[in-house]
Amino acid sequence: MEKLKARWDIEHNWEIIVILIVFSVTGSTASYIGKPILRYLSITTENFGTFGYWVIRILLLFVMYQFMLVFFGWLFGQHKFFWNFEKKMLRRIGLKRFVD
């Protein structure tokens, strides 16, 4: 636990639990609302084929996940951790200019 606390720059064990809850709530929520959004946008396997549908769904879920992660992090009182996490992720995927 101490290594994880040092790596994530947090002080208390309960913060680890909150962070893990935020990750799980965000993933579940993104997956849950993804299908209705695709249906609303008329993105189906009939329109785009199986491969196209899944590529679009994964991209949509990825983008939604990023926004919701910061939102749920803020909601659970861990905005600083998740905002730093997002900046790090954006830098890694080549979107550094949007962060700095």
Side-chain angles (χ1 to χ4, degrees):
M1 282 290 211
E2 295 305 317
K3 286 183 180 182
L4 193 57
K5 285 169 43 178
R7 182 176 181 199
W8 284 356
D9 193 28
I10 56 177
E11 297 176 13
H12 306 285
N13 289 338
W14 62 267
E15 289 178 295
I16 294 172
I17 295 167
V18 171
I19 288 168
L20 294 176
I21 289 171
V22 169
F23 277 120
S24 64
V25 167
T26 304
S28 300
T29 304
S31 179
Y32 183 74
I33 67 173
K35 206 171 210 176
I37 290 172
L38 290 173
R39 200 174 312 123
Y40 176 76
L41 297 172
S42 298
I43 299 172
T44 63
T45 54
E46 290 82 26
N47 296 342
F48 290 88
T50 304
F51 181 76
Y53 170 81
W54 281 102
V55 168
I56 294 170
R57 182 170 179 168
I58 289 169
L59 290 173
L60 177 70
L61 289 177
F62 178 76
V63 171
M64 286 178 12
Y65 184 84
Q66 304 313 310
F67 287 108
M68 286 193 296
L69 193 60
V70 175
F71 171 73
F72 282 120
W74 170 80
L75 197 62
F76 281 82
Q78 293 296 320
H79 181 266
K80 180 183 172 190
F81 171 82
F82 286 102
W83 181 239
N84 289 334
F85 183 85
E86 279 302 314
K87 290 190 294 187
K88 187 176 178 181
M89 181 178 290
L90 290 172
R91 284 186 191 109
R92 286 183 178 172
I93 63 172
L95 301 173
K96 182 179 177 180
R97 64 180 174 259
F98 296 112
V99 177
D100 294 330

